[in-house]
Amino acid sequence: MNKGLIVAISGPSGVGKGTVTAAVESKLEGIRDVAHSISVTTRAPRGSEQDGVEYYFRSKEEFEELIEAGQIIEYDEYLGNYYGTPAGPLAKMAEDGKVVLLDITIEGSLALKEFFGDDAVTIFLAPPSMEELRRRLKGRNTETDDVIERRLTEAANEMKRSGEFEYILENHDVDETSEEILKIINKESR
Ligand code: 5GP
């Protein structure tokens, strides 16, 4: 019987965290009990996002009340909004032998490692190069050149912190990267 494992994945905007996380979750289906942690955020829903599906959308006051009540295990600020992981479900999932993947900020991943120790593993996804990251961000066609430059500056700072993670993977290809993560999960949840 494998033990539960919290898999905290961080990396710069545009590196492909969301796609890789989804690929790992689908590869694990039927093999391991996979759970999804829904974060709380103060940012407004985007497009078709629904409360309780992508995030729990809360006001700043409500978010602060959750922190005071000890219901948020870690939280971080990103572009002026709070994002936090609810404490209860995550602790329960880890006990139940489930694999829980989270796509969170650097501070978030490090905080979960501090809290859960051997029950958590931290993975940093790096782009093959800064040029490739610039190409991917431009390819999304959703941000202005100015926003792309700011994200790239942020990315350069984030890259300097990759050494604080247990694993660093260069994301050349979603399939290859998700296979690498599966190997890490197998090794770390024994
Ligand atoms: P987005 O607004 O694009 O959904 O998310 C913005 C950033 O917040 C992403 O880097 C995402 O990984 C991070 N994030 C989402 N949920 C959490 C959370 O619960 N805790 C932390 N620390 N970061 C989060």
Side-chain angles (χ1 to χ4, degrees):
M1 163 83 183
N2 290 304
K3 71 178 177 93
L5 190 68
I6 287 157
V7 185
I9 303 178
S10 299
S13 174
V15 77
K17 282 170 292 176
T19 321
V20 166
T21 307
V24 175
E25 282 180 350
S26 77
K27 281 177 198 254
L28 278 174
E29 250 168 58
I31 302 172
R32 288 294 304 266
D33 197 357
V34 195
H36 192 78
S37 165
I38 303 173
S39 297
V40 188
T41 185
T42 61
R43 87 151 160 75
R46 265 192 315 239
S48 61
E49 286 180 339
Q50 282 181 312
D51 185 47
V53 181
E54 286 83 3
Y55 284 104
Y56 295 110
F57 297 99
R58 295 291 180 267
S59 68
K60 196 161 182 271
E61 292 70 29
E62 287 168 328
F63 195 94
E64 281 163 356
E65 279 169 23
L66 288 172
I67 296 170
E68 284 203 7
Q71 290 181 21
I72 299 283
I73 202 159
E74 67 74 33
Y75 70 95
D76 201 358
E77 206 182 324
Y78 182 84
L79 298 181
N81 285 303
Y82 285 132
Y83 294 81
T85 309
L90 203 60
K92 190 182 171 303
M93 286 169 191
E95 280 166 17
D96 282 357
K98 291 190 168 115
V99 176
V100 193
L101 283 101
L102 299 108
D103 154 3
I104 58 177
T105 60
I106 292 179
E107 290 304 335
S109 283
L110 300 178
L112 290 185
K113 181 67 197 173
E114 178 101 14
F115 199 85
F116 288 100
D118 286 348
D119 289 337
V121 63
T122 55
I123 301 175
F124 188 89
L125 280 195
S129 67
M130 291 310 273
E131 264 326 296
E132 175 61 16
L133 192 66
R134 180 187 299 271
R135 205 184 60 74
R136 289 185 194 176
L137 282 170
K138 280 194 182 268
R140 283 178 175 182
N141 254 336
T142 48
E143 286 111 348
T144 61
D145 283 352
D146 180 48
V147 171
I148 291 174
E149 287 312 316
R150 273 191 285 152
R151 286 186 184 241
L152 284 166
T153 305
E154 186 58 31
N157 288 325
E158 287 169 326
M159 292 295 290
K160 289 186 198 140
R161 303 196 58 191
S162 60
E164 295 174 53
F165 283 68
E166 293 169 280
Y167 294 90
I168 305 173
L169 301 178
E170 261 183 26
N171 186 26
H172 294 270
D173 173 84
V174 180
D175 198 53
E176 255 172 54
T177 306
S178 52
E179 287 297 331
E180 286 297 315
I181 296 177
L182 286 187
K183 282 187 207 152
I184 293 171
I185 292 172
N186 281 333
K187 180 167 175 274
E188 299 286 340
S189 66
R190 258 186 222 135

